[in-house]
Amino acid sequence: MSFEEFINKIQYSFSKEDIELIHRAFDTAGKAHKGQKRFSGEDYIIHPICAALILASIFPDATTVAATLLHDVSEDTKYTLEDIRKEFGEKICMLVDGVTKLGTVRLRNSTDKSYMENLRKMFVATSKDIRVILIKLADRLHNMRTIEYVKPAKRKRIAQETLEIYAPIANRLGIGEWKDELEDRAFEVVEPAEYEKTVALLKERLPESQIRINDLQKSLVTILRTEGVKFKQVKGRVKRIYSLYKKLKKYDGDISKIYDLLALRVIVQSTPDCYSTLGAIHKHLQPIPGRVKDFIALPKPNGYRSIHTTVFSENRNVFEIQIRTEQMDDQAERGIAAHWFYNEQGKPDVTDGYTEAASRSELEELQWVQDLQDLQEQTRDSKEFFDQLKIDFFRDRIFVLTPKGDVKDLPEGATPIDFAFSVHTDLGFYMLGAKVNGKMVKIDHELKSGDVVEIIKTKKPVKISQDWLNYAKTTAAHHKIRKYLNENQSGIFNTLKNMIVRKK
Ligand code: MN
């Protein structure tokens, strides 16, 4: 592929200097990889080029595009990191170095230990510069697209890793498109039989659902026109394979219980339009109680915003409808990148006064990035790091509110203990009890999204029992409780020792 072909495939424009930089990286990578082949027999250079094109779908800056083109150079060719530093500067060198370090996961037939070490490096790199992880995700996505050429034994390990590590990270960063594709491709390799079964089930259902959703789409457009609601687009979407598989497991394989197999998405102009659209729909189509979700007022922790509702159609079929603005739709696909590369790309600012893209410093304060940094400081042992990581990072998140309305982002299954330690470092030690939505609950009560949680305090620190370790779900709470128990246990030991000494 020539440079002109490559740059023309990118859907947005760069400045002259940016293009010059990308061109240099393109040529350097081409020279460095010359003569190398992929498993597929293609020239190696096609891989960094495709990775860069995948990355381009989230509109990154020129530095990140250049680093993606160079991402395998220092590892696989004579060209060194030093050469990159000299020719492309510190930043690109740092990005390539970060990606290379993560890449060792792929190259080694890793035992548990080195795998965890690499995982650790990956997170250190991530918290330093989120672009390292974006490049790595694009790299992995291209590798998944071409995984059929990899040896079967290795294929499974890569797919497993993709499902367990990379897809959850893409999800956490809010990059929906990448998450979906990573999941579906990895699922097909990891559990081929289950994959086929799910695809078959979907295919069997689809034609009938398709007819029904076309009907609904028509009546929805009529409703919106009748009510005078301005909308840009009404589109249908089919549920992704892996997401369907997970939901089926929840409902004992009963596909009739899955209401969002096909969903309609209404794209409107502004945030107020989202609410008037919801009103118009509910006026004509009966909503199912308890199924209206306002992710605009309370966005998901990964930044996802939209209104979801589930309604009965005129023929008494059940459908999910998603309502959002173009900007929210864009963000659901590009996630963190929609914020991160915002200013640099000079994309038109389409905020409507109600919602504004989070600033970079706000993003740096993302709870999970902070959690990761804490985790790294607290754990020296790789095994413990990984165990904690699985508890915290790969769980789904919930958000609960303080009585003042501050939002706390916690892992699913979190209890008032976790809440207390997340509000204030020591609040947990003074916790007598907790109220959820005004009612007293036990301290091991499982919190749900949207709960208002109030901690009842005492003046003196309370006695904390070993059980608290089972009730707490977050790393932060675990760490504090363990420290407390260690200190207080040694206190008991000292008392016992003194008693024994005295007896003598
Ligand atoms: Mn690569």
Side-chain angles (χ1 to χ4, degrees), residues 38 44 47-48 51 71-72 75-76 99 106 136 139-140 143:
R38 299 199 88 212
Y44 193 89
H47 165 64
H71 83 268
D72 278 331
E75 186 176 47
D76 299 342
V99 178
R106 174 170 63 88
K136 192 64 203 163
D139 172 47
R140 176 53 61 104
N143 285 332

Side-chain angles (χ1 to χ4, degrees), residues 122-123 133 137 165-174 368 393-394:
M122 170 161 144
F123 286 107
I133 211 80
L137 285 171
I165 313 282
Y166 289 88
I169 290 174
N171 183 37
R172 184 53 46 80
L173 296 177
W368 66 268
F393 189 66
F394 294 123

Side-chain angles (χ1 to χ4, degrees), residues 199-292:
V199 170
L201 205 57
L202 185 63
K203 269 191 184 152
E204 190 189 297
R205 276 270 166 161
L206 217 48
E208 194 199 334
S209 314
Q210 198 77 54
I211 295 168
R212 285 200 233 140
I213 204 126
N214 287 344
D215 289 347
L216 182 70
Q217 184 160 359
K218 270 182 220 146
S219 54
L220 196 57
V221 169
T222 315
I223 289 169
L224 295 175
R225 290 212 175 112
T226 318
E227 293 296 323
V229 175
K230 271 181 264 155
F231 62 95
K232 294 206 150 178
Q233 206 188 348
V234 178
K235 53 187 181 184
R237 75 109 185 87
V238 182
K239 201 169 182 63
R240 302 296 288 245
I241 310 290
Y242 187 63
S243 150
L244 173 60
Y245 167 74
K246 275 196 304 188
K247 218 167 201 179
L248 278 169
K249 274 211 325 213
K250 230 163 128 182
Y251 291 105
D252 297 320
D254 185 355
I255 199 164
S256 69
K257 290 210 175 99
I258 294 173
Y259 298 148
D260 63 345
L261 196 62
L262 280 153
L264 281 183
R265 197 168 281 165
V266 185
I267 310 291
V268 297
Q269 216 132 25
S270 68
T271 307
D273 288 347
C274 291
Y275 292 99
S276 49
T277 304
L278 181 73
I281 293 170
H282 284 178
K283 191 173 159 190
H284 294 266
L285 303 171
Q286 187 195 335
I288 295 186
R291 304 234 1 162
V292 183

Side-chain angles (χ1 to χ4, degrees), residues 215-410:
D215 289 347
L216 182 70
Q217 184 160 359
K218 270 182 220 146
S219 54
L220 196 57
V221 169
T222 315
I223 289 169
L224 295 175
R225 290 212 175 112
T226 318
E227 293 296 323
V229 175
K230 271 181 264 155
F231 62 95
K232 294 206 150 178
Q233 206 188 348
V234 178
K235 53 187 181 184
R237 75 109 185 87
V238 182
K239 201 169 182 63
R240 302 296 288 245
I241 310 290
Y242 187 63
S243 150
L244 173 60
Y245 167 74
K246 275 196 304 188
K247 218 167 201 179
L248 278 169
K249 274 211 325 213
K250 230 163 128 182
Y251 291 105
D252 297 320
D254 185 355
I255 199 164
S256 69
K257 290 210 175 99
I258 294 173
Y259 298 148
D260 63 345
L261 196 62
L262 280 153
L264 281 183
R265 197 168 281 165
V266 185
I267 310 291
V268 297
Q269 216 132 25
S270 68
T271 307
D273 288 347
C274 291
Y275 292 99
S276 49
T277 304
L278 181 73
I281 293 170
H282 284 178
K283 191 173 159 190
H284 294 266
L285 303 171
Q286 187 195 335
I288 295 186
R291 304 234 1 162
V292 183
K293 290 172 205 158
D294 186 350
F295 295 121
I296 295 176
L298 290 169
K300 286 191 186 179
N302 68 10
Y304 176 85
R305 288 175 300 147
S306 188
I307 295 177
H308 293 190
T309 182
T310 306
V311 298
F312 286 107
S313 74
E314 280 141 353
N315 318 318
R316 305 306 286 170
N317 292 309
V318 178
F319 286 106
E320 182 175 284
I321 301 175
Q322 305 170 349
I323 309 159
R324 55 175 83 157
T325 64
E326 262 180 332
Q327 192 199 7
M328 293 171 195
D329 200 39
D330 173 52
Q331 208 201 312
E333 280 171 22
R334 291 168 63 220
I336 199 166
H339 302 299
W340 200 258
F341 297 114
Y342 211 75
N343 302 329
E344 285 154 43
Q345 284 320 311
K347 272 201 85 199
D349 186 335
V350 284
T351 55
D352 49 27
Y354 279 75
T355 48
E356 266 172 50
S359 73
R360 207 174 266 209
S361 62
E362 275 171 316
L363 283 173
E364 275 157 10
E365 281 166 21
L366 278 181
Q367 192 56 48
W368 66 268
V369 175
Q370 263 181 33
D371 286 352
L372 272 176
Q373 281 161 351
D374 290 348
L375 196 55
Q376 278 158 15
E377 279 163 25
Q378 286 163 15
T379 51
R380 287 214 186 85
D381 171 24
S382 291
K383 172 105 175 61
E384 193 194 335
F385 174 78
F386 191 62
D387 288 346
Q388 283 294 336
L389 195 68
K390 273 206 269 195
I391 292 171
D392 244 27
F393 189 66
F394 294 123
R395 270 184 189 244
D396 283 331
R397 309 292 289 193
I398 57 163
F399 43 81
V400 295
L401 301 141
T402 69
K404 282 185 184 157
D406 292 335
V407 178
K408 292 281 158 198
D409 161 12
L410 295 170

